[in-house]
Amino acid sequence: MLGDHIKKIKLNKLEDKKGFAITIGVFDGLHLGHTSIIDELVNTALINNLNSGVITFENAFPQNLKNISSFLLTSDEKLNFFSLKGVDYSFILPFSEEIRSLSPEKFIELLVNTIPISCLCVGSNFFFGKNRSGDVNTLRELGEKYNFNLKIVPLEKEDSNIVSSSYIRNLLLEGKINIANKLLGYKYFINGIVERGDNLGSKIGFPTVNIKYEKEKLIPKTGIYKGKVKVRRDIYNAAIYIGTRPTFGGKETRVEAYILDFNDHLYGEKVEIVLEDYVRSDQKFDSTDKLRAQIQKDLEVIRDLIKEESKVKIITIDGTAGSGKTTIAKFIVQKLDFDYIDSGALYRAVGFIAKEKNLLREDEIVEFLSKNPIRFTFDKNTFRVFISDKELTSLIRTEEIGKYASMIGKMLKVREILTSSQREYLKNVKKGLVLEGRDSGTIVFPNANLKLFVNANINVRAERRAKDLGNISIDEVKKYIIERDKQDINRDIAPLRFPNQGYFIDNSDIGIEEVYDKILSLYLKAL
């Protein structure tokens, strides 16, 4: 019965696995409480070689049950966020009396008969079934009966308040954008197409873009905000206006942006805006001169807030072998004019020294590095590594050195030295840093502004690797990659994991410019 009504959507191009790790919920906003569950889900699937899936509902479900008229995420935005959080499948249930009236056991029975569920991940306050009569204790019993594992994720709290979609909606409607953004884990955004207005902004000296937004999107409290706008493939600071334009007798709520240091027409183009600070409430002025004078004051406040922003941003990139993460990392560096660290090259450099000096014990390597510190630079798109003032950059890319690097990666004290050196390097970074490598977003910079995890379909990865290696069969490479993934995932030290609050980039079949466009959109929203 359920299988006839459920809508199954594949969210990426990765190969299918047997079985599913599943979570269930509305997930409006995909806030910190949600993403703690999603992160657990995705890593559970990664470790156990399962598909990850989210069972969610049509928007009519929360609209009717919770009397919600607008959402933190539109239906399309939510699906996109699921994909960006590393989820493989979305299963959308219809809003029907038949589903609403199912008992907890009947609901789970129908799910396991439709989806091969191996594990279920839920928050500790999860309720389900008719009249919300089922809870996590019910799930434990049903897990034993229907043979699936249960993972319960603790609730996220902020000042004793449970992080929830309704709490964040209220914050937005009160203009408390800073708190809302913190609980979301990203800057609240509004996407839309630029449409022609009546040019009132231009007439008073402040031309704005008028954004046609989706009607199901929650629009925060009216007023002036400091924010940013993604236009084409650039990001600009902006003054954002939300309101009815009472000075001119307006009635309809509009979202407009005065983009700083920008002068071009954008009619018909898609833009994304994020809200960062609430400047003042909307108000009616007696004249356009008074409105113009207030806008000047608003812009002074916004420019002062821009000066206070942290200048150095950190982007970390990890992922599977052959996923193309190095190409992506270097493209971001070039586009954003950031510094770059190739974390893997540091381990290879120490591996090279271990081989050359016949240093096989950790204490020997630690002693050597204490007398001969590792040094690295990034200059003109080239990452260079030195030890004892000897450059090793061109000597460390062999398979043999890779094996030594793997040995080095298991040495905790050596890892601490290399982690410290990467953090120390940050002190001299002027604009931003891209750190590529294992545990870059989990250990080295866990509080990075943007943490990316790159993967691609196994066939694509094998083809890329075979092309790099030359005379070798794709099937042979595929076997190697599958074994390599198993080793990386199951390592005792620094295993391959999706980073907390990270984002997934599927690099299977899109060009580097499109990949960059996705990443820039995430960078726009990053706190």
Side-chain angles (χ1 to χ4, degrees):
M1 177 195 69
L2 191 59
D4 297 331
H5 301 287
I6 195 168
K7 185 178 181 182
K8 180 180 179 182
I9 302 173
K10 185 76 161 77
L11 299 174
N12 57 45
K13 301 292 184 179
L14 300 186
E15 63 279 4
D16 276 335
K17 291 95 175 176
K18 292 182 180 179
F20 277 85
I22 289 288
T23 189
I24 306 170
V26 175
F27 294 108
D28 184 31
L30 273 173
H31 53 64
L32 293 180
H34 294 147
T35 52
S36 63
I37 297 171
I38 298 293
D39 290 346
E40 182 68 36
L41 172 80
V42 170
N43 277 317
T44 296
L46 181 70
I47 294 166
N48 295 286
N49 198 32
L50 299 169
N51 299 299
S52 59
V54 174
I55 297 172
T56 188
F57 305 88
E58 294 175 342
N59 277 349
F61 188 87
Q63 280 174 332
N64 283 272
L65 285 187
K66 298 185 178 182
N67 196 29
I68 297 170
S69 59
S70 56
F71 297 87
L72 302 173
L73 294 174
T74 68
S75 300
D76 288 342
E77 288 169 353
K78 184 158 63 172
L79 284 177
N80 184 48
F81 251 60
F82 284 151
S83 175
L84 289 169
K85 284 297 179 180
V87 178
D88 298 316
Y89 281 92
S90 176
F91 299 90
I92 303 175
L93 294 179
F95 178 72
S96 67
E97 185 59 36
E98 186 177 19
I99 290 177
R100 287 180 58 185
S101 62
L102 291 172
S103 68
E105 179 167 359
K106 195 63 178 176
F107 178 69
I108 293 298
E109 180 186 347
L110 289 170
L111 285 183
V112 297
N113 287 335
T114 306
I115 305 167
I117 299 175
S118 297
C119 182
L120 192 57
C121 298
V122 297
S124 58
N125 66 339
F126 180 75
F127 296 95
F128 67 108
K130 186 177 180 180
N131 299 324
R132 292 165 52 89
S133 55
D135 58 15
V136 291
N137 293 316
T138 315
L139 276 180
R140 283 195 187 93
E141 297 172 2
L142 294 175
E144 293 179 5
K145 182 173 182 178
Y146 293 101
N147 196 31
F148 60 80
N149 293 321
L150 177 65
K151 289 204 169 185
I152 300 172
V153 181
L155 297 179
E156 292 283 333
K157 292 188 177 183
E158 172 67 18
D159 295 333
S160 77
N161 291 307
I162 295 173
V163 178
S164 69
S165 301
S166 57
Y167 181 46
I168 294 171
R169 285 191 204 98
N170 289 334
L171 289 171
L172 290 171
L173 294 173
E174 293 168 2
K176 298 177 180 177
I177 189 66
N178 302 95
I179 304 174
N181 287 346
K182 180 182 177 182
L183 302 187
L184 285 168
Y186 58 86
K187 296 170 189 172
Y188 191 70
F189 64 93
I190 302 171
N191 297 332
I193 303 297
V194 177
E195 60 180 1
R196 289 186 181 275
D198 41 26
N199 293 320
L200 287 175
S202 296
K203 291 174 183 176
I204 62 172
F206 302 99
T208 61
V209 292
N210 187 28
I211 300 164
K212 184 179 181 180
Y213 55 87
E214 295 289 336
K215 295 305 179 185
E216 65 176 322
K217 183 77 172 182
L218 183 142
I219 302 302
K221 181 181 179 180
T222 59
I224 304 295
Y225 293 81
K226 171 190 172 291
K228 288 185 174 60
V229 181
K230 177 175 173 285
V231 176
R232 296 158 189 161
R233 285 179 179 151
D234 283 305
I235 294 174
Y236 297 88
N237 290 302
I240 312 293
Y241 171 71
I242 297 175
T244 60
R245 303 185 303 167
T247 303
F248 301 100
K251 301 296 182 184
E252 181 184 8
T253 299
R254 296 199 180 196
V255 177
E256 300 178 2
Y258 174 67
I259 306 174
L260 278 60
D261 306 314
F262 182 83
N263 185 24
D264 198 1
H265 293 295
L266 296 170
Y267 299 126
E269 295 191 41
K270 181 181 178 181
V271 297
E272 293 181 81
I273 69 168
V274 294
L275 305 177
E276 298 175 315
D277 292 285
Y278 189 77
V279 177
R280 67 167 174 87
S281 60
D282 196 12
Q283 62 188 102
K284 183 178 180 178
F285 293 88
D286 295 335
S287 67
T288 55
D289 286 341
K290 289 184 177 179
L291 171 60
R292 187 185 295 111
Q294 182 60 52
I295 293 174
Q296 289 283 15
K297 292 178 182 178
D298 296 337
L299 290 175
E300 289 176 12
V301 171
I302 288 170
R303 291 187 188 278
D304 286 341
L305 288 170
I306 291 169
K307 291 176 185 177
E308 295 173 6
E309 288 182 353
S310 172
K311 298 300 181 184
V312 177
K313 307 293 184 183
I314 303 173
I315 299 175
T316 63
I317 301 183
D318 197 357
T320 57
S323 61
K325 59 184 182 292
T326 300
T327 300
I328 292 172
K330 291 184 175 179
F331 194 84
I332 297 171
V333 167
Q334 177 189 359
K335 286 289 187 179
L336 296 180
D337 191 26
F338 275 17
D339 274 276
Y340 172 70
I341 296 177
D342 178 354
S343 182
L346 306 184
Y347 285 89
R348 284 177 170 272
V350 177
F352 177 87
I353 291 297
K355 174 180 176 295
E356 290 294 299
K357 304 289 185 181
N358 195 30
L359 306 175
L360 301 180
R361 297 200 324 268
E362 183 172 16
D363 61 330
E364 293 176 325
I365 297 171
V366 168
E367 183 180 2
F368 181 87
L369 290 175
S370 68
K371 297 175 181 177
N372 306 273
I374 191 166
R375 186 168 62 85
F376 47 91
T377 64
F378 180 68
D379 182 39
K380 295 181 180 178
N381 296 322
T382 302
F383 184 74
R384 304 169 67 190
V385 189
F386 305 81
I387 293 183
S388 301
D389 290 329
K390 177 181 180 180
E391 183 170 359
L392 306 178
T393 310
S394 62
L395 305 174
I396 58 177
R397 294 296 175 185
T398 67
E399 186 175 343
E400 184 181 14
I401 297 303
K403 292 178 180 177
Y404 275 88
S406 296
M407 176 190 76
I408 297 300
K410 297 175 183 177
M411 298 178 178
L412 286 175
K413 291 182 180 179
V414 178
R415 295 187 71 86
E416 289 173 3
I417 292 171
L418 296 182
T419 295
S420 295
S421 68
Q422 292 171 84
R423 290 174 178 166
E424 188 69 22
Y425 183 86
L426 183 65
K427 294 178 180 179
N428 298 315
V429 172
K430 304 299 183 186
K431 185 177 180 182
L433 173 68
V434 173
L435 173 63
E436 179 211 342
R438 185 61 36 79
D439 67 22
S440 57
T442 54
I443 302 297
V444 186
F445 292 117
N447 295 319
N449 301 91
L450 181 60
K451 295 181 281 189
L452 303 175
F453 185 94
V454 183
N455 201 355
N457 184 280
I458 186 69
N459 294 317
V460 174
R461 293 165 61 198
E463 287 173 10
R464 288 173 182 160
R465 189 67 176 152
K467 185 177 180 181
D468 290 341
L469 295 175
N471 187 24
I472 188 170
S473 75
I474 292 176
D475 287 341
E476 191 175 336
V477 174
K478 191 187 296 187
K479 290 179 182 177
Y480 164 78
I481 288 177
I482 290 171
E483 187 57 37
R484 167 75 180 273
D485 284 351
K486 288 180 182 177
Q487 292 175 1
D488 286 347
I489 291 167
N490 294 303
R491 287 194 311 203
D492 291 332
I493 298 174
L496 181 65
R497 292 291 184 271
F498 188 83
N500 289 337
Q501 311 304 331
Y503 291 94
F504 169 77
I505 300 297
D506 180 7
N507 193 31
S508 298
D509 65 347
I510 58 176
I512 188 66
E513 289 283 356
E514 190 175 346
V515 168
Y516 176 69
D517 191 63
K518 280 189 174 186
I519 292 172
L520 192 64
S521 179
L522 291 171
Y523 182 65
L524 171 76
K525 303 177 185 76
L527 296 176

